[in-house]
Each structure stands twice: as structure tokens, then as C-alpha cells.
Amino acid sequence: MPLIVSGADDRQVKIWRMNESKAWEVDTCRGHYNNVSCAVFHPRQELILSNSEDKSIRVWDMSKRTGVQTFRRDHDRFWVLAAHPNLNLFAAGHDGGMIVFKLERERPAYAVHGNMLHYVKDRFLRQLDFNSSKDVAVMQLRSGSKFPVFNMSYNPAENAVLLCTRASNLENSTYDLYTIPKDADSQNPDAPEGKRSSGLTAVWVARNRFAVLDRMHSLLIKNLKNEITKKVQVPNCDEIFYAGTGSLLLRDAESITLFDVQQKRTLASVKISKVKYVIWSADMSHVALLAKHEHSCPLPLTAIVICNRKLEALCNIHENIRVKSGAWDESGVFIYTTSNHIKYAVTTG
């Protein structure tokens, strides 16, 4: 479009329309509280990025002219911005140097069952067959959330999925319950009616039951119609993970707890802080707990704890760099990636 974006010492970001001979003001984005030093259009989305001497970078929605995100650095005034032409990367120069950052998480939500991978891409649920390498869209997702799908829980018995969307204000997070259509036309996939409810995380716990961690951090058990069948008192937790039929792993700041949903009781607990990913071996005999690496924490840090089914820690692996992902191979070796290595670990440590 014939648009110009400008930033100025009046603390405003302005959008202008232009023709051959003149430009006229269309709209203003207000929110910075010091001189705006640079503003750029996002190369692929309807967004504007601006930065300022108020030590913040802001992201604006062009259609609504509202702020979407704010990044702050307490000690550095920002001066200049650049957008990568085709990657999700931006650079911003400040008093002390520069930062390179991305706006949204690029890791898609996915679930693996047998030889099938289900994953979300561009508002579609896609299915990849590892044997044939056939990759098809199986259904279209309903729109209405400006946040990407954060994680997925797949139910092979009912061919149903739970897709969780994590909002920047956690209390606005939602999940969608879908039954995947039987005969998908990959050229023009169906857009089935999903059931959407509020909740931080939703995970299958049985063939016809799933658990929802709601915004009050209590646990609801729901059926396939998305109706609450019971409420379960759980120890304090801020995230839940799958742990086999009838069980969940509950995360708090310092530990992971194995919880029996049927008997409503804690079975075991292991100390590890800030777990981000939980990866079970195919036979559910072992689990790898991957911790989030905090930039501010003193090194080294326990990045991975490998446990048995009873959540007894078999080994701790320390990494000085962020652990990104992991997978089990058939012989019980855990293979994982850091920012710059592929490594493996055996359960004896």
C-alpha cells in the first residue's frame, strides 16, 4: 500500500498515505513516553515496530492502531530498527550495543502417535505420515485468536485434538476441542465446529475424558461434549502435562509431581525448577524433563532430569546453554538438541 510510517520527538508514531505529489496523515499510534527514534513496517504482517528513547520497543497492529507487545530494556535507549526481509528476525540498536529478536514462537504445536505427526501450520491442522512422507492438511482451524496455538494433545481413540492457545495475559488463554474429519479433502479441508473454552492447558487423561487447568489454577475433568464431569483438588501448580491414562504431571516453580486423577492423590515428586517440556519414551517407562534456561541464573544449571515411571530421578544432565528439544530412540537413549549441538544421554547418566 502507498503508506509511510514515521516516528518523531512528539512521542507519536504516525501513518501517512501518499501519492505522486503529496502525503497526508491517516492515523497515529500513541504509547511511547519519550522521543520515537525509529519505526518500520513488518515485512509480512499488518504490524508496525517502533523504538524509542523511553527504553522500549513496541509492536502496533496496523488495522486497529493499537499496541500489541512491548519489550523493555531498563538501561538502554533505542535508536534504530531493522527487519529481516523473509525470516522472523528483527534487530534494534541501543546505547550499549544491539539485540536481535523474533516476535512469535516458531515451534509449531505438534503431537506424534505411531507413524503419524499432527501439527499446526498457517491455520490448518496437518498430518505427516513418516512412512510415506505424505503431508496433508486434514482440517481448517477456526480463527478468532491472535495468538498462535501453543500446544496440542491428541486422542487416537476418538481421533480428536485439544489445541491450547496461550495469551500474553494468561487468564485470557483458551483451548479448542476438535474431532478430526474422517475423509479429509487435502485441497479444500473442512473447517469443523470446534468447542472453545477458557483454560491455560488441556490434556487428555482417558479415551473420553480430558483435564483442564483453568485460570484459577484448579483442575476440571471434562467429557467429549466439553462438559465438566468433576473438579479435582490438586497441589498448587501452574502447568499440567500428560502422564499416561488417568495421570498427570503437575508443575510448580520448584518441582514436578505425578498425580493420579482417579484417586485424586499425589504419587511421587521430583525436584527440578522451571520445566518447559516433558518427553515420554514410547512405552512410557521413562520421562525426560527439560528445564527452561534463565538468562539471569548462575551457571551451570540442571537442564534435563531423566526419571523412571515412578518419577525416581535416574540422572541429572547439566548444560550451560539452552536445551531446545529431545526425543527417545527405540533402545532407550535420549537424544536432545541445544542451541548448537545434538547430544545423547543414556538413562544411567
Side-chain angles (χ1 to χ4, degrees), residues 95-139:
D95 287 345
M98 70 168 207
I99 56 170
V100 176
F101 62 98
K102 59 184 186 180
L103 281 189
E104 64 267 339
R105 197 167 182 263
E106 291 167 305
R107 179 185 304 221
Y110 71 95
V112 177
H113 178 73
N115 291 312
M116 282 296 181
L117 166 74
H118 287 90
Y119 68 100
V120 173
K121 186 176 186 195
D122 301 333
R123 307 240 45 94
F124 290 97
L125 181 70
R126 300 185 65 86
Q127 182 179 294
L128 169 67
D129 185 327
F130 292 141
N131 292 337
S132 65
S133 297
K134 191 175 163 194
D135 186 338
V136 293
V138 289
M139 71 179 197

Side-chain angles (χ1 to χ4, degrees), residues 316-348:
N316 290 339
I317 299 164
H318 300 276
E319 286 289 349
N320 292 340
I321 192 163
R322 180 172 295 198
V323 176
K324 304 291 279 186
S325 65
W328 290 92
D329 90 331
E330 291 85 41
S331 53
V333 174
F334 186 65
I335 299 165
Y336 66 97
T337 60
T338 67
S339 302
N340 49 18
H341 283 92
I342 298 177
K343 299 189 174 189
Y344 69 87
V346 290
T347 51
T348 56

Side-chain angles (χ1 to χ4, degrees), residues 16 19 129 134 139 200 208 251 253 304 316 349:
W16 311 76
N19 61 20
D129 185 327
K134 191 175 163 194
M139 71 179 197
L200 298 178
N208 56 358
R251 178 187 80 185
I304 303 173
N316 290 339

Side-chain angles (χ1 to χ4, degrees), residues 247-297:
S247 299
L248 288 171
L249 291 178
L250 313 179
R251 178 187 80 185
D252 63 29
E254 298 303 322
S255 63
I256 288 280
T257 300
L258 179 61
F259 188 80
D260 186 316
V261 178
Q262 291 302 104
Q263 299 174 18
K264 303 183 185 179
R265 69 190 184 99
T266 296
L267 302 178
S269 178
V270 63
K271 270 197 120 39
I272 173 173
S273 59
K274 297 192 169 63
V275 167
K276 187 121 185 256
Y277 300 108
V278 166
I279 301 158
W280 288 94
S281 59
D283 61 0
M284 300 291 290
S285 65
H286 291 89
V287 63
L289 308 172
L290 275 54
K292 184 178 177 184
H293 202 302
E294 291 296 337
H295 290 299
S296 58
C297 70

Side-chain angles (χ1 to χ4, degrees), residues 220-232:
L220 311 175
I221 306 300
K222 294 191 171 188
N223 61 19
L224 292 168
K225 294 178 180 165
N226 202 29
E227 301 161 339
I228 298 173
T229 59
K230 65 179 173 186
K231 293 186 177 183
V232 180

Side-chain angles (χ1 to χ4, degrees), residues 57-314:
I57 301 171
R58 289 173 188 254
V59 184
W60 310 88
D61 181 319
M62 270 174 69
S63 52
K64 299 185 186 130
R65 311 322 196 235
T66 54
V68 188
Q69 273 175 304
T70 303
F71 306 97
R72 289 185 198 288
R73 268 179 97 88
D74 290 338
H75 305 297
D76 289 306
R77 296 168 300 175
F78 283 102
W79 300 108
V80 62
L81 265 173
H84 192 288
N86 41 29
L87 296 177
N88 173 28
L89 288 174
F90 302 87
H94 54 77
D95 287 345
M98 70 168 207
I99 56 170
V100 176
F101 62 98
K102 59 184 186 180
L103 281 189
E104 64 267 339
R105 197 167 182 263
E106 291 167 305
R107 179 185 304 221
Y110 71 95
V112 177
H113 178 73
N115 291 312
M116 282 296 181
L117 166 74
H118 287 90
Y119 68 100
V120 173
K121 186 176 186 195
D122 301 333
R123 307 240 45 94
F124 290 97
L125 181 70
R126 300 185 65 86
Q127 182 179 294
L128 169 67
D129 185 327
F130 292 141
N131 292 337
S132 65
S133 297
K134 191 175 163 194
D135 186 338
V136 293
V138 289
M139 71 179 197
Q140 198 169 335
L141 306 180
R142 80 181 245 194
S143 58
S145 176
K146 62 177 188 286
F147 300 101
V149 175
F150 184 79
N151 66 10
M152 176 194 308
S153 182
Y154 175 65
N155 177 344
E158 298 289 335
N159 202 25
V161 287
L162 295 161
L163 303 179
C164 304
T165 301
R166 193 61 60 84
S168 46
N169 174 2
L170 287 179
E171 298 198 339
N172 298 334
S173 301
T174 58
Y175 69 87
D176 289 304
L177 166 62
Y178 289 103
T179 301
I180 300 172
K182 289 267 188 294
D183 314 305
D185 169 10
S186 61
Q187 297 307 309
N188 188 20
D190 284 345
E193 236 347 273
K195 295 183 171 69
R196 177 171 293 177
S197 299
S198 72
L200 298 178
T201 313
V203 178
W204 295 103
V205 288
R207 188 187 64 77
N208 56 358
R209 292 283 186 274
F210 62 94
V212 178
L213 184 66
D214 74 4
R215 62 176 76 165
M216 307 308 292
H217 292 224
S218 51
L219 197 68
L220 311 175
I221 306 300
K222 294 191 171 188
N223 61 19
L224 292 168
K225 294 178 180 165
N226 202 29
E227 301 161 339
I228 298 173
T229 59
K230 65 179 173 186
K231 293 186 177 183
V232 180
Q233 282 303 116
V234 290
N236 182 35
C237 75
D238 61 5
E239 183 63 285
I240 57 174
F241 301 97
Y242 177 74
T245 303
S247 299
L248 288 171
L249 291 178
L250 313 179
R251 178 187 80 185
D252 63 29
E254 298 303 322
S255 63
I256 288 280
T257 300
L258 179 61
F259 188 80
D260 186 316
V261 178
Q262 291 302 104
Q263 299 174 18
K264 303 183 185 179
R265 69 190 184 99
T266 296
L267 302 178
S269 178
V270 63
K271 270 197 120 39
I272 173 173
S273 59
K274 297 192 169 63
V275 167
K276 187 121 185 256
Y277 300 108
V278 166
I279 301 158
W280 288 94
S281 59
D283 61 0
M284 300 291 290
S285 65
H286 291 89
V287 63
L289 308 172
L290 275 54
K292 184 178 177 184
H293 202 302
E294 291 296 337
H295 290 299
S296 58
C297 70
L299 302 172
L301 181 114
T302 302
I304 303 173
V305 176
I306 294 179
C307 302
N308 62 15
R309 182 82 190 96
K310 295 178 180 163
L311 220 57
E312 294 163 338
L314 304 178

